[in-house]
Amino acid sequence: MNEETLLGYTNYVTKLFADEDDALTECRAEIAREGMPIIHVSPAQGKILYLIARMMSPKRILELGTLGGYSAIWLARALPEDGKLITLELDQHHADVSRRNIDRAGLSSKVEVRVGPAADTLKQMQADGEPAFDLAFIDADKDGYPAYLDLCVPMVRAGGIILADNTLSGNILDENSDSGIARYNKAAAAHPALESIIFPVLRERGIDGLLLSIKK
Ligand code: SAH
Ligand code: MG
């Protein structure tokens, strides 16, 4: 399939199913204005995250990698009034921008942004006896992915899910690849506590993957 056709399908799905409201449009505009990398999920992928979350009737969601809060807004919209999303971000500027975007979306009572390296924050959360999550979305630095899997599995309830973004990217087709993504995909596939698959997802440029794992 050529790039033009892929883009056509992406636009078709987006237009039909993933219309943004002002808060989401403004969130993306703000990320661009602030000179942050444009690496948030696409509107269509945001809708996928939202619908997967909705199926879980989640009370608690964990996100690794906030950027400007774009995916956090989609996910948090699947939460009930008393639900909570904790999102972890390394960069203080990204966290500041995300808090403004989350506030504009009317979600600041449900969403908490914690600043620091995600692995450290997760270890601290475990030490503090953080209650289990229904869903975790991993989308921070790719080198950290294998460690994030080990840290997230015990933090998700039985029957809960772990989603990992960008899992069909980089040189994973190289059998000798030891990239973070390659190691994450192998570890998820072989993990005794998980049942997993990669969903191909349409992006503006080509396809990428969303790895879905259910904890047994
Ligand atoms: N989930 C976002 C995009 C996240 S981009 C969305 O789709 O809207 C990846 C983010 O991870 C960046 O903001 C980057 O600063 C952050 N990040 C990089 N290394 C990190 C680390 N060690 N811990 C936490 N966040 C990290
Ligand atoms: Mg991503």
Side-chain angles (χ1 to χ4, degrees):
M1 198 185 295
N2 64 36
E3 284 224 346
E4 207 177 311
T5 312
L6 264 176
L7 187 61
Y9 282 141
T10 305
N11 292 338
Y12 173 82
V13 171
T14 306
K15 203 164 165 224
L16 199 52
F17 294 103
D19 239 5
E20 293 178 316
D21 61 5
D22 290 347
L24 286 166
T25 306
E26 196 45 37
C27 177
R28 284 198 296 122
E30 188 78 10
I31 288 168
R33 273 198 298 272
E34 290 285 337
M36 291 157 63
I38 313 291
I39 52 173
H40 49 72
V41 298
S42 66
Q45 205 190 346
K47 182 74 178 281
I48 291 173
L49 292 175
Y50 164 77
L51 285 174
I52 292 174
R54 274 283 307 268
M55 287 192 278
M56 302 298 296
S57 302
K59 284 255 188 193
R60 292 171 50 78
I61 297 175
L62 173 66
E63 178 180 71
L64 280 54
T66 316
L67 192 69
Y70 188 76
S71 55
I73 292 172
W74 279 105
L75 285 167
R77 286 181 170 171
L79 288 168
E81 224 23 75
D82 61 345
K84 181 157 192 177
L85 182 148
I86 299 176
T87 179
L88 314 184
E89 173 55 52
L90 177 67
D91 185 298
Q92 183 66 53
H93 176 228
H94 294 181
D96 292 343
V97 173
S98 76
R99 287 192 183 112
R100 286 208 299 276
N101 287 329
I102 288 160
D103 195 35
R104 194 184 307 104
L107 291 165
S108 41
S109 64
K110 294 181 188 175
V111 180
E112 188 188 327
V113 185
R114 294 198 190 169
V115 182
D120 292 356
T121 309
L122 291 170
K123 283 174 201 158
Q124 189 59 51
M125 289 166 83
Q126 290 183 4
D128 294 345
E130 185 76 36
F133 291 90
D134 303 292
L135 186 161
F137 175 50
I138 299 175
D139 194 21
D141 56 302
K142 307 311 161 199
D143 290 343
Y145 269 39
Y148 299 150
L149 183 67
D150 290 339
L151 287 162
C152 285
V153 170
M155 296 179 76
V156 167
R157 69 166 167 85
I161 65 177
I162 300 173
L163 297 165
D165 195 29
N166 309 114
T167 45
L168 285 180
S169 66
N171 63 342
I172 50 164
L173 297 183
D174 174 355
E175 271 179 43
N176 300 315
S177 170
D178 66 346
S179 72
I181 297 290
R183 284 181 290 130
Y184 183 94
N185 292 348
K186 278 185 193 155
H191 202 294
L194 302 175
E195 292 190 284
S196 302
I197 190 68
I198 294 176
F199 276 107
V201 289
L202 293 164
R203 303 296 285 255
E204 279 77 5
R205 256 168 260 118
I207 63 163
D208 202 333
L210 181 67
L211 199 157
L212 166 69
S213 301
I214 300 187
K215 184 169 166 182
K216 294 181 195 165

